[in-house]
PDB file of all heavy atoms in Angstrom:
ATOM      1  N   ALA U 182      56.816  30.919 -63.261  1.00  0.00           N
ATOM      2  CA  ALA U 182      57.906  29.940 -63.311  1.00  0.00           C
ATOM      3  C   ALA U 182      58.749  30.147 -64.566  1.00  0.00           C
ATOM      4  O   ALA U 182      59.980  30.134 -64.516  1.00  0.00           O
ATOM      5  CB  ALA U 182      57.337  28.520 -63.275  1.00  0.00           C
ATOM      6  N   LEU U 183      58.078  30.346 -65.703  1.00  0.00           N
ATOM      7  CA  LEU U 183      58.800  30.568 -66.956  1.00  0.00           C
ATOM      8  C   LEU U 183      59.592  31.867 -66.902  1.00  0.00           C
ATOM      9  O   LEU U 183      60.717  31.932 -67.403  1.00  0.00           O
ATOM     10  CB  LEU U 183      57.809  30.602 -68.127  1.00  0.00           C
ATOM     11  CG  LEU U 183      58.425  30.812 -69.506  1.00  0.00           C
ATOM     12  CD1 LEU U 183      59.314  29.639 -69.888  1.00  0.00           C
ATOM     13  CD2 LEU U 183      57.332  31.007 -70.556  1.00  0.00           C
ATOM     14  N   ALA U 184      59.031  32.903 -66.292  1.00  0.00           N
ATOM     15  CA  ALA U 184      59.716  34.195 -66.212  1.00  0.00           C
ATOM     16  C   ALA U 184      61.033  34.064 -65.470  1.00  0.00           C
ATOM     17  O   ALA U 184      62.056  34.649 -65.868  1.00  0.00           O
ATOM     18  CB  ALA U 184      58.815  35.221 -65.527  1.00  0.00           C
ATOM     19  N   VAL U 185      61.050  33.289 -64.402  1.00  0.00           N
ATOM     20  CA  VAL U 185      62.285  33.094 -63.635  1.00  0.00           C
ATOM     21  C   VAL U 185      63.306  32.312 -64.458  1.00  0.00           C
ATOM     22  O   VAL U 185      64.489  32.649 -64.497  1.00  0.00           O
ATOM     23  CB  VAL U 185      61.982  32.359 -62.314  1.00  0.00           C
ATOM     24  CG1 VAL U 185      63.281  31.969 -61.615  1.00  0.00           C
ATOM     25  CG2 VAL U 185      61.137  33.237 -61.407  1.00  0.00           C
ATOM     26  N   MET U 186      62.854  31.273 -65.150  1.00  0.00           N
ATOM     27  CA  MET U 186      63.775  30.429 -65.920  1.00  0.00           C
ATOM     28  C   MET U 186      64.373  31.157 -67.119  1.00  0.00           C
ATOM     29  O   MET U 186      65.429  30.766 -67.618  1.00  0.00           O
ATOM     30  CB  MET U 186      63.054  29.161 -66.383  1.00  0.00           C
ATOM     31  CG  MET U 186      62.800  28.165 -65.272  1.00  0.00           C
ATOM     32  SD  MET U 186      62.184  26.566 -65.894  1.00  0.00           S
ATOM     33  CE  MET U 186      60.525  27.009 -66.360  1.00  0.00           C
ATOM     34  N   THR U 187      63.706  32.197 -67.605  1.00  0.00           N
ATOM     35  CA  THR U 187      64.198  32.927 -68.788  1.00  0.00           C
ATOM     36  C   THR U 187      64.686  34.326 -68.423  1.00  0.00           C
ATOM     37  O   THR U 187      64.811  35.184 -69.291  1.00  0.00           O
ATOM     38  CB  THR U 187      63.079  33.034 -69.847  1.00  0.00           C
ATOM     39  OG1 THR U 187      61.943  33.710 -69.274  1.00  0.00           O
ATOM     40  CG2 THR U 187      62.653  31.664 -70.332  1.00  0.00           C
ATOM     41  N   SER U 188      64.994  34.545 -67.145  1.00  0.00           N
ATOM     42  CA  SER U 188      65.364  35.892 -66.687  1.00  0.00           C
ATOM     43  C   SER U 188      66.673  36.386 -67.292  1.00  0.00           C
ATOM     44  O   SER U 188      66.948  37.590 -67.296  1.00  0.00           O
ATOM     45  CB  SER U 188      65.467  35.913 -65.156  1.00  0.00           C
ATOM     46  OG  SER U 188      66.458  34.993 -64.713  1.00  0.00           O
ATOM     47  N   ASP U 189      67.506  35.475 -67.808  1.00  0.00           N
ATOM     48  CA  ASP U 189      68.780  35.883 -68.404  1.00  0.00           C
ATOM     49  C   ASP U 189      68.636  36.281 -69.866  1.00  0.00           C
ATOM     50  O   ASP U 189      69.593  36.770 -70.480  1.00  0.00           O
ATOM     51  CB  ASP U 189      69.803  34.757 -68.282  1.00  0.00           C
ATOM     52  CG  ASP U 189      69.351  33.493 -69.012  1.00  0.00           C
ATOM     53  OD1 ASP U 189      68.152  33.146 -68.895  1.00  0.00           O
ATOM     54  OD2 ASP U 189      70.187  32.870 -69.687  1.00  0.00           O
ATOM     55  N   LEU U 190      67.464  36.093 -70.428  1.00  0.00           N
ATOM     56  CA  LEU U 190      67.245  36.444 -71.830  1.00  0.00           C
ATOM     57  C   LEU U 190      66.758  37.877 -71.946  1.00  0.00           C
ATOM     58  O   LEU U 190      66.112  38.411 -71.038  1.00  0.00           O
ATOM     59  CB  LEU U 190      66.210  35.499 -72.455  1.00  0.00           C
ATOM     60  CG  LEU U 190      66.567  34.014 -72.491  1.00  0.00           C
ATOM     61  CD1 LEU U 190      65.419  33.211 -73.083  1.00  0.00           C
ATOM     62  CD2 LEU U 190      67.845  33.784 -73.298  1.00  0.00           C
ATOM     63  N   GLU U 191      67.033  38.498 -73.081  1.00  0.00           N
ATOM     64  CA  GLU U 191      66.529  39.847 -73.338  1.00  0.00           C
ATOM     65  C   GLU U 191      65.941  39.919 -74.735  1.00  0.00           C
ATOM     66  O   GLU U 191      66.337  39.175 -75.628  1.00  0.00           O
ATOM     67  CB  GLU U 191      67.638  40.886 -73.190  1.00  0.00           C
ATOM     68  CG  GLU U 191      68.833  40.667 -74.103  1.00  0.00           C
ATOM     69  CD  GLU U 191      69.874  41.756 -73.936  1.00  0.00           C
ATOM     70  OE1 GLU U 191      69.510  42.944 -74.032  1.00  0.00           O
ATOM     71  OE2 GLU U 191      71.056  41.412 -73.705  1.00  0.00           O
ATOM     72  N   GLY U 192      64.977  40.800 -74.880  1.00  0.00           N
ATOM     73  CA  GLY U 192      64.322  40.940 -76.163  1.00  0.00           C
ATOM     74  C   GLY U 192      62.824  40.734 -76.039  1.00  0.00           C
ATOM     75  O   GLY U 192      62.245  40.880 -74.950  1.00  0.00           O
ATOM     76  N   THR U 193      62.196  40.375 -77.135  1.00  0.00           N
ATOM     77  CA  THR U 193      60.740  40.211 -77.166  1.00  0.00           C
ATOM     78  C   THR U 193      60.379  38.916 -77.866  1.00  0.00           C
ATOM     79  O   THR U 193      61.003  38.523 -78.850  1.00  0.00           O
ATOM     80  CB  THR U 193      60.073  41.378 -77.920  1.00  0.00           C
ATOM     81  OG1 THR U 193      60.498  42.617 -77.342  1.00  0.00           O
ATOM     82  CG2 THR U 193      58.552  41.298 -77.841  1.00  0.00           C
ATOM     83  N   ILE U 194      59.367  38.248 -77.318  1.00  0.00           N
ATOM     84  CA  ILE U 194      58.818  37.024 -77.891  1.00  0.00           C
ATOM     85  C   ILE U 194      57.387  37.290 -78.349  1.00  0.00           C
ATOM     86  O   ILE U 194      56.603  37.914 -77.631  1.00  0.00           O
ATOM     87  CB  ILE U 194      58.812  35.875 -76.860  1.00  0.00           C
ATOM     88  CG1 ILE U 194      60.223  35.380 -76.567  1.00  0.00           C
ATOM     89  CG2 ILE U 194      57.904  34.726 -77.319  1.00  0.00           C
ATOM     90  CD1 ILE U 194      60.828  34.501 -77.641  1.00  0.00           C
ATOM     91  N   TRP U 195      57.072  36.830 -79.550  1.00  0.00           N
ATOM     92  CA  TRP U 195      55.683  36.854 -80.028  1.00  0.00           C
ATOM     93  C   TRP U 195      55.257  35.411 -80.266  1.00  0.00           C
ATOM     94  O   TRP U 195      55.895  34.682 -81.034  1.00  0.00           O
ATOM     95  CB  TRP U 195      55.557  37.629 -81.344  1.00  0.00           C
ATOM     96  CG  TRP U 195      55.810  39.087 -81.235  1.00  0.00           C
ATOM     97  CD1 TRP U 195      54.897  40.085 -81.061  1.00  0.00           C
ATOM     98  CD2 TRP U 195      57.098  39.750 -81.344  1.00  0.00           C
ATOM     99  NE1 TRP U 195      55.517  41.317 -81.039  1.00  0.00           N
ATOM    100  CE2 TRP U 195      56.875  41.136 -81.202  1.00  0.00           C
ATOM    101  CE3 TRP U 195      58.405  39.298 -81.529  1.00  0.00           C
ATOM    102  CZ2 TRP U 195      57.889  42.079 -81.251  1.00  0.00           C
ATOM    103  CZ3 TRP U 195      59.430  40.225 -81.575  1.00  0.00           C
ATOM    104  CH2 TRP U 195      59.162  41.590 -81.437  1.00  0.00           C
ATOM    105  N   SER U 196      54.202  34.977 -79.606  1.00  0.00           N
ATOM    106  CA  SER U 196      53.634  33.656 -79.846  1.00  0.00           C
ATOM    107  C   SER U 196      52.378  33.837 -80.681  1.00  0.00           C
ATOM    108  O   SER U 196      51.396  34.432 -80.220  1.00  0.00           O
ATOM    109  CB  SER U 196      53.316  32.958 -78.521  1.00  0.00           C
ATOM    110  OG  SER U 196      54.504  32.620 -77.840  1.00  0.00           O
ATOM    111  N   VAL U 197      52.418  33.321 -81.899  1.00  0.00           N
ATOM    112  CA  VAL U 197      51.359  33.593 -82.881  1.00  0.00           C
ATOM    113  C   VAL U 197      50.630  32.296 -83.214  1.00  0.00           C
ATOM    114  O   VAL U 197      51.246  31.354 -83.718  1.00  0.00           O
ATOM    115  CB  VAL U 197      51.958  34.201 -84.170  1.00  0.00           C
ATOM    116  CG1 VAL U 197      50.846  34.791 -85.031  1.00  0.00           C
ATOM    117  CG2 VAL U 197      53.009  35.253 -83.850  1.00  0.00           C
ATOM    118  N   PRO U 198      49.324  32.216 -82.937  1.00  0.00           N
ATOM    119  CA  PRO U 198      48.600  30.987 -83.259  1.00  0.00           C
ATOM    120  C   PRO U 198      48.514  30.762 -84.758  1.00  0.00           C
ATOM    121  O   PRO U 198      48.335  31.704 -85.525  1.00  0.00           O
ATOM    122  CB  PRO U 198      47.212  31.230 -82.653  1.00  0.00           C
ATOM    123  CG  PRO U 198      47.064  32.723 -82.656  1.00  0.00           C
ATOM    124  CD  PRO U 198      48.441  33.255 -82.385  1.00  0.00           C
ATOM    125  N   LEU U 199      48.667  29.523 -85.170  1.00  0.00           N
ATOM    126  CA  LEU U 199      48.474  29.145 -86.568  1.00  0.00           C
ATOM    127  C   LEU U 199      47.016  28.720 -86.683  1.00  0.00           C
ATOM    128  O   LEU U 199      46.639  27.659 -86.208  1.00  0.00           O
ATOM    129  CB  LEU U 199      49.406  27.991 -86.948  1.00  0.00           C
ATOM    130  CG  LEU U 199      50.884  28.166 -86.586  1.00  0.00           C
ATOM    131  CD1 LEU U 199      51.662  26.898 -86.929  1.00  0.00           C
ATOM    132  CD2 LEU U 199      51.480  29.366 -87.292  1.00  0.00           C
ATOM    133  N   ARG U 200      46.208  29.542 -87.296  1.00  0.00           N
ATOM    134  CA  ARG U 200      44.763  29.301 -87.255  1.00  0.00           C
ATOM    135  C   ARG U 200      44.102  29.446 -88.622  1.00  0.00           C
ATOM    136  O   ARG U 200      43.263  30.331 -88.824  1.00  0.00           O
ATOM    137  CB  ARG U 200      44.104  30.238 -86.243  1.00  0.00           C
ATOM    138  CG  ARG U 200      44.430  31.708 -86.479  1.00  0.00           C
ATOM    139  CD  ARG U 200      43.832  32.621 -85.432  1.00  0.00           C
ATOM    140  NE  ARG U 200      43.847  33.988 -85.912  1.00  0.00           N
ATOM    141  CZ  ARG U 200      43.680  35.064 -85.138  1.00  0.00           C
ATOM    142  NH1 ARG U 200      43.472  34.903 -83.851  1.00  0.00           N
ATOM    143  NH2 ARG U 200      43.693  36.269 -85.656  1.00  0.00           N
ATOM    144  N   PRO U 201      44.458  28.591 -89.564  1.00  0.00           N
ATOM    145  CA  PRO U 201      43.718  28.591 -90.827  1.00  0.00           C
ATOM    146  C   PRO U 201      42.268  28.230 -90.557  1.00  0.00           C
ATOM    147  O   PRO U 201      41.998  27.254 -89.869  1.00  0.00           O
ATOM    148  CB  PRO U 201      44.424  27.510 -91.652  1.00  0.00           C
ATOM    149  CG  PRO U 201      45.063  26.627 -90.627  1.00  0.00           C
ATOM    150  CD  PRO U 201      45.440  27.515 -89.485  1.00  0.00           C
ATOM    151  N   GLY U 202      41.341  29.008 -91.054  1.00  0.00           N
ATOM    152  CA  GLY U 202      39.961  28.809 -90.650  1.00  0.00           C
ATOM    153  C   GLY U 202      39.789  29.352 -89.252  1.00  0.00           C
ATOM    154  O   GLY U 202      40.276  30.423 -88.922  1.00  0.00           O
ATOM    155  N   ARG U 203      39.162  28.579 -88.376  1.00  0.00           N
ATOM    156  CA  ARG U 203      38.909  29.060 -87.026  1.00  0.00           C
ATOM    157  C   ARG U 203      39.448  28.126 -85.958  1.00  0.00           C
ATOM    158  O   ARG U 203      39.131  28.263 -84.783  1.00  0.00           O
ATOM    159  CB  ARG U 203      37.395  29.251 -86.835  1.00  0.00           C
ATOM    160  CG  ARG U 203      36.819  30.318 -87.748  1.00  0.00           C
ATOM    161  CD  ARG U 203      35.301  30.352 -87.684  1.00  0.00           C
ATOM    162  NE  ARG U 203      34.811  30.672 -86.360  1.00  0.00           N
ATOM    163  CZ  ARG U 203      33.517  30.764 -86.051  1.00  0.00           C
ATOM    164  NH1 ARG U 203      32.606  30.539 -86.978  1.00  0.00           N
ATOM    165  NH2 ARG U 203      33.149  31.059 -84.822  1.00  0.00           N
TER     166      ARG U 203
END
Side-chain angles (χ1 to χ4, degrees):
L183 181 65
V185 172
M186 287 189 287
T187 59
S188 60
D189 61 317
L190 298 178
E191 58 178 307
T193 306
I194 289 284
W195 292 265
S196 291
V197 194
L199 310 176
R200 54 183 196 196
R203 296 172 62 180

